[in-house]
Amino acid sequence: MSETSNQPRSTFYNSASTPIGSNLSRQRTLSSSSIDPYEDPVVGLERVTQTQVRRRPRRNDISEAVEGRRDIEEDHALSSKFESLNYEICENQLYRDAESKSGHQLNLRRIQLNRWIACFLIGICTALAGIVIDILVHTSADFKFHYILQTLVDRCDNGEAIAGGGCMWLVQLAWMAYNCSMVFLAACLVIFWSPIAAGSGIPQIKCFLNGIHIPEVVGLKTLVVKVFGVSAAVAGGLCAGKEGPMIHSGGAIGAGISQGKLHKKLDPGFFKEFRNDREKRDFVSAGAAAGVAAAFGSPIGGVLFAIEEGASFWNQALTWRMFFSAMISSFTLNATLTYYFKQGGLLSWNGLANFGVFEDKSYTIWEIPLFLMVGVIGGCTGALFNSLNYRISEFRKKFVSNKWQRLVEALLVAAVSAFTGFVTLFVVDDCVPLGLGMNRTEGLNRLYCKKGEYSAVANLFFANPEESVKSLFHSPIGSFKPTTLLIFAIEYFVLSVWTFGLAVPSGVFIPALLTGAAWGRLFGLGVEWLFPNVAGIDPGKYALMGAAAQLGGVVRMTISLTAIILEATKDMTFGLPIMLVLMIAKWVGDFFSEGLYDLCIELSEVPLLGWNAPKMARNITASKVMRSDLVAMEKRVRVGRVVEILAATSHHAFPLVDRIDESDTSRLPDYGRLEGYILRTQLVALLKKRAFVGEGEEGLMGEMMSEQDFIDVDLREEKVEMGAADEMAMMDLAPYMHSHPHRVPLNASLPFIYRLFRGLGLRYLMVVNEDNRLRGIITRKDVARFKNTKGFALRELFISDHQF
Amino acid sequence: MSETSNQPRSTFYNSASTPIGSNLSRQRTLSSSSIDPYEDPVVGLERVTQTQVRRRPRRNDISEAVEGRRDIEEDHALSSKFESLNYEICENQLYRDAESKSGHQLNLRRIQLNRWIACFLIGICTALAGIVIDILVHTSADFKFHYILQTLVDRCDNGEAIAGGGCMWLVQLAWMAYNCSMVFLAACLVIFWSPIAAGSGIPQIKCFLNGIHIPEVVGLKTLVVKVFGVSAAVAGGLCAGKEGPMIHSGGAIGAGISQGKLHKKLDPGFFKEFRNDREKRDFVSAGAAAGVAAAFGSPIGGVLFAIEEGASFWNQALTWRMFFSAMISSFTLNATLTYYFKQGGLLSWNGLANFGVFEDKSYTIWEIPLFLMVGVIGGCTGALFNSLNYRISEFRKKFVSNKWQRLVEALLVAAVSAFTGFVTLFVVDDCVPLGLGMNRTEGLNRLYCKKGEYSAVANLFFANPEESVKSLFHSPIGSFKPTTLLIFAIEYFVLSVWTFGLAVPSGVFIPALLTGAAWGRLFGLGVEWLFPNVAGIDPGKYALMGAAAQLGGVVRMTISLTAIILEATKDMTFGLPIMLVLMIAKWVGDFFSEGLYDLCIELSEVPLLGWNAPKMARNITASKVMRSDLVAMEKRVRVGRVVEILAATSHHAFPLVDRIDESDTSRLPDYGRLEGYILRTQLVALLKKRAFVGEGEEGLMGEMMSEQDFIDVDLREEKVEMGAADEMAMMDLAPYMHSHPHRVPLNASLPFIYRLFRGLGLRYLMVVNEDNRLRGIITRKDVARFKNTKGFALRELFISDHQF
């Protein structure tokens, strides 16, 4: 009996969890009738019928029941990997009754206060993460420059001629060895411990805030790997920034602190009221804002970032808390680093990326067209960056999938990066007299140059990237030769294209800024050469514009990026040209390709909901979008039936109807009027607390549950013991169900549905017919399937299982 | 017959347009059963029944039909004065069919392009408005100082002793006369031409963006009065800023340009696709952002302002366009004023309010508690400002309601403002040597002072307020005596409390900044006196903090205000302390009173929807919120019936149902299943185009309408000729109705409904029972009725008729 009923269950599961029509080609232009799942249900579908359910399950079925069938889950991992977050409040009787309790108002105030406390802690901790990264990178750089290189260079100095480069192989080898070992560390952390921590982290945070839960994306492990991994990657001389990972770390800290625990085993029980998707998402956005604030010393930019790139569901109170987190984070980092580096008692504006102050802050009106040209170039090079990186990522996905291959690739990039620097240093002869941009030489700067001179190439390749950006912005006019800038820009561009997407935590902000600053300065030198008689042309200004243009062309942010750059350069004067440059770069870039983060997300096949509903979708109705092969229950339901359904499906919500007609077994059941829905976690909590009464008994259904009982239900962990007699007991779901879920009629259009999902952060939407009878359910993923192609045509995606 | 049917109609109207239960006390704590309009319909309600409707209306009924009954409207002006805007797209057959037309994609691109063009024009025109205001104020100041005063002072100089003040009465008189005549001009413009243009305009824009249409608030007349009125008010020496009116002007320009016309008689037919509430609201937010950008040279602040204070329904694409408008506005103003005032070819950051650059940009960590204290003081004085102003406004509402009284009050304030300055100048002896803050004396500065000295008092009272703020920020330490600052702060505080709310266009930004700068500088002098041995205490820094604190305490904005102040001072260094100060000021201020703009809105009884649903409202269900006395139609309806309903009601939307059962005339009709709804404007357009066929005929219902036919239906203007035979013709509303309106069941809670309205910008929400039968309608106003008192308790407001 259990064998016979197992068979249909797994079949049922298959049909339920596979996106409808996945047997069709993976992506195709939408045609009318064949994808209507309601009118044309999947052929041969077998269902869990009442008769099948009335059996005694084996004891070990229960853990299966809680989690869904694990073996099947691995075949169709999509639903477990990219689950949606639920921003909707479950308005059930418990929720309504809470208001009449005596302590309710006090409780609301306490929760409000706790929100601010949590945001304060998020700010502090994000700053601490930034401080750790900064100090680690600085310590490593000190060690590398002073103890390894200085010693070796000094030894070479004593023995052989400097310019000859006889023992330079030793320096080079030591340098490469150090870099590779650092990158090895970073890559091992990522590959063997937390693969999700690879890359920038911004796409992941963006997805999270959009409402998609990528497993472990905001976990403690990810945070640790991110912080130490990015320190090692930057210390290892990769073309990698620490800013993206800082933002991801901030998000992880936001999630961790708001849940009152960083791991399920370390749970002091704080902030229990925030343990739901809704609150968690809000705190992650505060964390992301704090991350930007720490990375760039830019609280306004952080808030704008969270709004522009992230927080889909935004409100004023949340903005204030984000702002508070960002402010605290920026302040803490500022004060601590001021103290650590003993820069005196004055707190001036700071951040991890600090691009110095421009001396000459003016520009003339005829420079604006030149700035716009810089924007156009930035848009083009940014688009080139994106499409090259996309191809490399695709290649990587196919051919560098193995863990060891990924490790070797990371080491290869580290070695090539170091090698390129040395080769350039050897080939390009750009020795600049001391006093021009630099006052003393250390380590590599002296190599290949006469006394009293330093190497501009070494200054670019071997310094801290932030310092290189600073010197490109502020060095006087003769500091860099055009050839040096050109070669550097090209090499750095290629290296950073290759680096982004490696199995190490690495951001793209600083590499893009540095590349852009190099070609921007080159552009400035060109302008100066063309107009030799016009005073006041500062190549540093063009370096700033180039940096903005390149970064804008890559990431396609406008308003938040403007704020970030303005705050990082501590100055408002260039606000207008920077805005223009970013806008032009975005327009030009959008003409060629999508933004880097969007491409990442596309590659990972995450069901992201964009800002606007797809075009040409007005005639797609709810009946075409919905899934009609749903599983509903009645409000009073037998425990055995619930266990059966939980085991047989992986759905996370079950609509409740007043009547289920399963008389015609060749078709899907005919459901009655919609009365509400209940979540899988709630059902599991009810079973766990045994909130049911034996057959025939009436009255109160077991003990009434409290709100606390529904918190912390981890579907992967729970084990529920269920005896044979319990199977026949009855549960009353009415007090726990959301009694007035959002619903649309069958003729509602896709844009209409889209606005509901976007505007309210829904996970489920019920579809009813003209009599309010349940006809289907629309999930976030069903909506995200519809995308526009470049030429406005609508296509329907089927999301396959793929690692982020 | 027509008489008999008139009677019930007006009764019906009364019951429909009066908020349910308005016979109860105006505001009371919510009790359960008596306010449930569905279960307890208004007793004695008479209705338009099918029988009553079947009559031939008089010819002149039609214009009544279009507009609703005007005489009744004047008794219950609420519904016409504070109409809601509809942000929802009417998804009817026309809308769906548009997609399959050949030119649709091209059209979408064209509309997209037009949006950018409109935003560009909004930016340009808003800047032009700012330029006009600035040049007018400057010209007037030049005229006043150089031609009137200089001449008079010179004459006094020659004749009598300066310090004696013998002929000073002449100077004073001339000064007062000039000021009064300017204020007379401003007040006359406002009182006799456009009363809505009085005050700051920010509350009005906030209401508009929240979804409430206050008549003429964004009209051409308002714009003209605002621009010239504020110029005259500022020129008249009132304690008034031009920034709030700039923002209002921006909003009006946004509305005007996006509608392709500034007035219905001047309609070149541009931008017809934007002639709906949805697009208009978006463009008004772009205009408001452009207004801030022009006023403070602060594009980021402008966008944040529009987001924080205004745009309830925000999306990324809109943000970019707002940003673009703000950028263009800021740039145009900057470039033009640079050219006009011949400040050289360099474009540096600018705006109407320009507070100069701080020389010393650092602060120490122990100064932060001092800044926080400034924040606390600002919160208190801000709250004091608000509650005093609220009381004055209430007084004004009761006793200064007459036009002439209002004019006299304005003149009185102008005279008192001028007089106060002279008295202070006479009483306070604060002569400062030249070279300290000022290098040369002009006009009044010389009065009462010896040669080689100038009067610090005159420098505060008689200069352009922006200049006074600048000198408080940047003057060296001995420039102002503490007594001067104290007296000035108190006097200016009192005057600005009195001024805000006068019948002239006047903002509160600059007065608050100036008051705050004065007491902030005083605070700084106190700090310096307490810690005489600590170097680096600059009272100017404290003036900046004081200005921020005072303004923050008054308007209670945080993030946008931070951005605005940072951008106006062209510097990021003080970002962190300014944020802290603003946040503290808001917290402290919120403890005592609401923000100034919110108080204004409260006083005007506008049904504003706040950010969050009221608390303690979980048990208020849709059946209690909704109005059950609605008027529905069937999809196929007789023309006479439509005309009758339009004449009898003032509703703006009519639900369509499949069946209306009116057999029991003692009760409200029993409506069938909800099928859609249709707007009053659509019905009028259908009647106007005669989209109906005679009785008995079948097939296509008249000529099919195009989308164009539904644009530009002005309910106040349309006259429709309707013959006797037409009365019996049938209309088919199906192709024009919104076929899947948002709906909730009877048990939906108020917070749930609130989130729908807030998240989607709804105007109407249908309430259905478990069979999807129409049971009521919830409008924006029905939701806005529910507010929390200070102590969390829920109260229900009944909005009375009141002038904004």
Side-chain angles (χ1 to χ4, degrees), chain B residues 713-753:
Chain B
V713 179
D714 188 333
L715 293 181
R716 293 178 184 273
E717 298 294 320
E718 301 295 342
K719 295 266 182 282
V720 182
E721 291 294 316
M722 199 67 51
D726 297 336
E727 292 289 311
M728 300 304 281
M730 296 296 287
M731 294 174 88
D732 183 9
L733 304 179
Y736 313 114
M737 71 180 186
H738 182 358
S739 60
H740 44 85
H742 290 282
R743 68 200 62 192
V744 292
L746 285 161
N747 65 345
S749 71
L750 180 57
F752 182 87
I753 293 165

Side-chain angles (χ1 to χ4, degrees), chain A residues 5-44:
Chain A
S5 69
N6 256 348
Q7 189 52 34
R9 270 197 286 148
S10 83
T11 317
F12 180 88
Y13 180 89
N14 277 325
S15 63
S17 68
T18 312
I20 298 140
S22 60
N23 53 334
L24 304 173
S25 66
R26 213 183 114 230
Q27 92 188 33
R28 61 193 167 74
T29 309
L30 199 70
S31 65
S32 62
S33 69
S34 64
I35 59 128
D36 186 336
Y38 183 62
E39 291 177 0
D40 177 24
V42 179
V43 184

Side-chain angles (χ1 to χ4, degrees), chain B residues 118-147:
Chain B
C119 283
F120 178 79
L121 293 175
I122 289 169
I124 296 273
C125 294
T126 306
L128 288 180
I131 290 163
V132 168
I133 294 176
D134 204 48
I135 289 177
L136 282 178
V137 171
H138 262 89
T139 312
S140 158
D142 276 1
F143 178 76
K144 190 156 76 170
F145 281 101
H146 292 161
Y147 295 91

Side-chain angles (χ1 to χ4, degrees), chain A residues 91 96 320 558 673 749 771, chain B residues 91 320 558 673 749 771:
Chain A
E91 298 200 357
R96 291 191 173 189
W320 281 338
T558 50
R673 296 187 194 118
S749 71
D771 287 322
Chain B
E91 298 200 357
W320 282 339
T558 49
R673 296 184 195 123
S749 71
D771 286 321

Side-chain angles (χ1 to χ4, degrees), chain A residues 127 130-132 134-135 138 294 331-343 350-352:
Chain A
I131 291 164
V132 167
D134 204 46
I135 290 178
H138 263 87
F331 178 78
T332 309
L333 185 106
N334 187 358
T336 315
L337 289 185
T338 302
Y339 175 79
Y340 184 83
F341 292 112
K342 298 195 178 51
Q343 293 171 341
N350 234 315
L352 293 191

